Amino acid sequence: MTHPSTPCVTLPATAHETGIELPVIGQGTWYMGEGLAPHRDEVRALQQGLELGMTLIDTAEMYADGGAEEVVGEALAGRRTQAFLVSKVYPWNAGRQSAIEACERSLSRLGTDHLDLYLLHWPGSIPLEETLEAFERLREQGKIRRFGVSNFDVDELDALHALPGGGDCAVNQVLYHLGSRGIETALRPWACRHGLPLMAYCPLAQAGQLRHDLFGHPVVRELADGLGITPAQLLLAWVTRPVEGRRDVIAIPKAVQPAHVADNAAALAVRLDDETVARLDDAFPAPSGKVPLDIV
């Protein structure tokens, strides 16, 4: 699924699945299917991304009320095996039976018989025990390969891991970019200790309470120019950089224009040296203590 030189994050083996390596940059689909761009352009963008090595595609039943899943389904027609496919369930659809039904609706829109990864979109009022039971049933039925969560902070992850089967959680998808580094104080260390990879949404600072004008920041522009890359490539390389010699974050930027798709894929080849990372740390320091999880 990946080229030998492509930087990867490893999803650990579970009781039922072997470990798998995924490229550190995948493709997001938030706002696809809403008519903001021609449908055919969104389909083509995802296919272009696959061809350029961004084989993970992330979507959700929430995005355009299923419209984004339909875009993905069309993009994957005849090439499903090329992609690692991720979708997400609403918290209020995450019950013992409702999660089964929600997943089946997603599979129908996606035109596939299984998801490689199914995420609980954010913590809700339905007990996690119910959601885990539904995820296990879906796995037994062959409709999902792995499960994970999104927008979970440390307390929620502790609660999840205390439950039978909770340790098989494959990823936690959270907002993370250079201007929003709150996960680095507690959540990322927790994830590292537990071998839990992270997936970064809005890696190009499209949103978040701590957003800065990163693309126009003088340090970002200076460093990108010096490396002969774009600000977007610098930001993606930073989000997916190894920490203490280990890569544990997959970024999922969304792009529709061919140049932007190519730009994102080219960031897979960017390696930041210690001096560049230090300059970015000085310009955009992480908070000194735990802050509320940044969520959009």
Side-chain angles (χ1 to χ4, degrees):
M1 187 173 279
T2 59
H3 188 275
S5 64
T6 299
C8 292
V9 166
T10 301
L11 296 195
T14 69
H16 307 285
E17 292 289 333
T18 59
I20 185 172
E21 290 193 336
L22 298 171
V24 298
I25 301 175
Q27 301 185 81
T29 61
W30 193 15
Y31 291 118
M32 284 189 177
E34 296 188 358
L36 301 177
H39 178 85
R40 65 181 181 278
D41 289 354
E42 294 175 337
V43 169
R44 175 203 40 74
L46 293 173
Q47 294 173 339
Q48 178 190 358
L50 282 177
E51 292 162 1
L52 293 175
M54 296 186 294
T55 52
L56 184 149
I57 296 178
D58 174 84
T59 190
E61 67 171 344
M62 184 186 84
Y63 302 162
D65 292 326
E69 290 180 323
E70 293 174 351
V71 172
V72 174
E74 188 171 335
L76 293 183
R79 61 184 84 197
R80 172 66 181 89
T81 59
Q82 298 176 23
F84 185 92
L85 182 56
V86 185
S87 194
K88 298 185 280 293
V89 60
Y90 275 124
W92 51 85
N93 283 342
R96 187 171 288 108
Q97 182 58 35
S98 57
I100 306 290
E101 296 165 355
C103 183
E104 290 172 345
R105 290 192 297 269
S106 288
L107 292 175
S108 178
R109 288 187 291 264
L110 289 160
T112 185
D113 63 356
H114 76 281
L115 294 168
D116 296 294
L117 179 60
Y118 197 35
L119 308 182
L120 174 60
H121 207 148
W122 62 87
S125 60
I126 291 176
L128 282 172
E129 293 93 332
E130 274 199 47
T131 304
L132 289 177
E133 181 182 327
F135 284 168
E136 176 60 15
R137 285 174 58 199
L138 287 167
R139 186 202 61 76
E140 291 174 348
Q141 294 167 6
K143 293 172 182 174
I144 68 172
R145 297 271 174 83
R146 288 176 169 84
F147 78 88
V149 295
S150 180
N151 297 305
F152 269 48
D153 208 343
V154 171
D155 289 347
E156 288 108 3
L157 290 172
D158 279 334
L160 175 66
H161 267 239
L163 298 173
D168 278 342
C169 177
V171 301
N172 182 19
Q173 184 179 124
V174 292
L175 187 150
Y176 184 47
H177 57 68
L178 182 61
S180 182
R181 300 183 60 175
I183 68 166
E184 295 180 21
T185 59
L187 191 151
R188 190 171 187 176
W190 188 103
C192 185
R193 289 194 304 272
H194 291 82
L196 178 69
L198 300 175
M199 198 176 293
Y201 70 83
C202 295
L204 297 178
Q206 299 97 321
Q209 296 174 1
L210 308 179
R211 182 181 180 181
H212 295 265
D213 179 18
L214 298 188
F215 280 74
H217 193 280
V219 173
V220 171
R221 298 205 66 87
E222 176 194 342
L223 291 172
D225 289 346
L227 293 169
I229 60 177
T230 65
Q233 289 170 336
L234 180 71
L235 296 176
L236 289 174
W238 182 87
V239 166
T240 60
R241 73 201 183 284
V243 173
E244 298 180 356
R246 177 175 175 268
R247 292 186 188 269
D248 61 350
V249 177
I250 299 169
I252 47 169
K254 172 228 167 193
V256 175
Q257 298 305 315
H260 292 163
V261 177
D263 201 44
N264 291 346
L268 286 165
V270 176
R271 308 290 186 270
L272 303 182
D273 59 27
D274 292 344
E275 180 181 352
T276 299
V277 173
R279 288 281 309 279
L280 291 170
D281 283 343
D282 288 342
F284 299 93
S288 57
K290 191 178 186 311
V291 297
L293 189 65
D294 205 4
I295 297 174
V296 292

